[in-house]
Amino acid sequence: MTALQEIINKIENILIASDALEVNLNGIDEEQLINKIKEYFTDKEEKILNKEILIKIVNEIRESNEKKVVVLHTNYKEAKDIDAKFEIKNIYPEKTSSSTEDFLKYFNNRFDKIKRLIERRVNFIKDISSLKNYTNGREVAIVGLVYDKITTKKGHILVTIDDPTGVAKVLFIKSDDPNLSKLYDSATKIVKDEVIAIKGKISNSLIIANEIVYPEIPIKSITPSNEDISIVFTSDIHIGSKLFLKDEFEKFIEWLKSDDKSARKVKYIILGGDVVDGIGIYPEQQKELEVKDIFKQYEILKNYLEELPDYMHIFVAPGNHDAVTLAEPQPPIPNDLFKEIKNSNIHLLSNPAYVTLNGLKVLVYHGASLDPIIRDIPGCSYERPTTGMIELLKRRHLSPIYGGNEILPTREDKLVIEDIPDIVHMGHVHKNDYAIYHGVLFINSGTWQSRTIYQMKLGHLPTPGRVPIYNMHTSQLYTMKFSDLSYD
Ligand SMILES: [Fe+2]
C-alpha cells in the first residue's frame, strides 16, 4: 500500500484517482495533509482526489511551512529599557462539596470539552448507545472516557470506555502483523480517565480497534519577538531544606544582578512551584529541614527576590511543597507571605496558569501529574520528563489519570488544556530537560536542591543549579550552570 493510500484510508468518503499516486509527498506531515484534504473537500460534492488537486494541496502545505522571513529590528536596548507587556490567566478552583453529583459533573464536563476537541479530527462520531443498531463488520468511530484497561489471557488489550449514553468494550489484538502491532503498542499507552476516540469494526459485543485518535495539539511555530529580551525558567528551589543549594542559588541571584550581557536581557523570571520546602509535606520531613518555620522560608525567598533589579518581572506559582491546598488547580500562594515586599513586580500565579509575555504564551504547571504519567505510560521516564509533558499535551489534559495526584472535582474541569501555549514549563521531577513537539517548546527546569534520600531510593538523578533561559528575539534556549553537582 502506498503512503497516500494509507493516508486516504484515514479519511472517510474520499476516493483516490490513480494519477494522484504519482505525487511526491516527501517531507509532508501526514496529519497536516489529512487536515488539508478534509478541508478541501468539505464543500465539494465530488469527493475524488486527483493529481491536480493533490499537487495544489501539497504546494500550499510546502509554502505555509517554509520559514517565514521575519525582519527583526535589533534595537540593542537592555531589558530595563523595554516595557514589560504581560497578561496573566490564573485558573481558580471553584468551591466544591466533593459529592457524587460533583464528580459526575466533573467527568461529564471533561468528556464534553475534550470531545469537542476530538471532533475537529474525527468525522461521523457515534453515540455508544447507537452501536446496537449496527451489524457486525460495520466501521464506527466513538469517543469515550477510559473506565478500565486490562490485558486478556491471550495477551490482547481490552479497554472499557463510556460516554453519557453507554459503555463499550474495545479490543486491541496482539499480533505479529506490523500494523496491528503498532496499534497494540499505542494501546499500551492508554490511561484511565482520559478521553479518546476509537475507530474500529463492530464484532458482536466488541469493537475491534483499528485506530486511536487523541485530541492532540495543532502544529504551530513561535513568532520571534522584535525585543531582544529573555525569560528565565526555574522551579523547585526548596528553600528551607537542608539540601537547598544556598551558595549556588546566591550565585544565580548575583548573576541576575550583574552586568553580564545575557543577564541584562532578562526581563521575566518564572518560578514554577516548590519555591520552599514547606512543612509537614511528608513523614519525618522535620529531620530534613534547615528552616522549620514556613513564614521564615518565604521570608528568605522574599529577601532574594527583593535583591533583583526592579525592571524584572517575577511570576511565582505554587507546587506540592508550597503553602496552599494540594488539590489542583492550586490557588496562588497567599499575598500575606510576600507582604511589604519592596519589589512590586512579583506576580502570584495559580497552578496551572497561563502567562503571556510580549505575545508569547507560556503554560506554567508544576507537574505533580508527571508521577502517574511516567508510571503508567510506556516510554515516559524521569530521565526525560518532557516525554510525559508531551503525552499530557497530546491528551489536552494536565492530569488525565484521576487520583494519580490530588485533583479538586470542580463542576468545570479546569485542567483541560484549551489554549495552545508556545512554551510549556513544568518542574516537580527536578530534572532539566527540553523538547519540541508540534512546534511547542517543552521545558522542565530542574531544581536547587541536591539529591534527596527519596530520590536515591527511586534511582532519580536530579540536575541541580541548571537554569534554562529563552531569548524571545533569537528563539534560542540555552542553559546556565550554577552548580558543579552532577548525578547524570
Ligand atoms: Fe520539588
Side-chain angles (χ1 to χ4, degrees), residues 437-450:
Y437 176 77
H438 284 199
V440 174
L441 174 61
F442 290 77
I443 299 175
N444 201 293
S445 51
T447 184
W448 293 95
Q449 189 182 38
S450 58

Side-chain angles (χ1 to χ4, degrees), residues 125 167 209 228 233 293 313-314 337 357-358 376 406 450:
I125 294 168
V167 181
D228 190 5
F233 295 91
D293 178 328
H313 285 258
I314 303 139
L337 292 162
L357 307 169
N358 291 53
D376 289 356
E406 276 206 50
S450 58

Side-chain angles (χ1 to χ4, degrees), residues 235-238 272-277 319-321 366 427-430 446-449 455:
S235 67
D236 299 272
I237 311 172
H238 288 273
D274 284 3
V275 292
V276 300
D277 205 50
N320 53 308
H321 279 250
H366 179 62
H428 188 61
V429 293
H430 295 203
T447 184
W448 293 95
Q449 189 182 38
Q455 287 164 344

Side-chain angles (χ1 to χ4, degrees), residues 94 127 129 163 183 186 192 301 349 356:
E94 301 154 13
D127 283 344
S129 66
D163 72 5
L183 180 65
S186 309
K192 278 188 186 173
L301 175 69
L349 303 181
T356 306

Side-chain angles (χ1 to χ4, degrees), residues 57-109:
I57 292 172
V58 165
N59 285 345
E60 270 176 29
I61 294 174
R62 290 216 162 98
E63 272 168 36
S64 71
N65 287 355
E66 270 172 25
K67 251 200 155 159
K68 291 183 184 76
V69 179
V70 182
V71 181
L72 297 171
H73 305 284
T74 310
N75 48 27
Y76 301 107
K77 283 182 184 168
E78 293 185 346
K80 71 177 171 49
D81 302 317
I82 294 171
D83 288 342
K85 282 176 255 166
F86 63 87
E87 231 176 85
I88 295 171
K89 187 177 158 196
N90 272 339
I91 294 168
Y92 284 97
E94 301 154 13
K95 285 207 167 68
T96 170
S97 62
S98 297
S99 64
T100 316
E101 197 195 341
D102 274 349
F103 276 91
L104 271 175
K105 279 188 178 140
Y106 174 81
F107 282 115
N108 282 339
N109 184 259

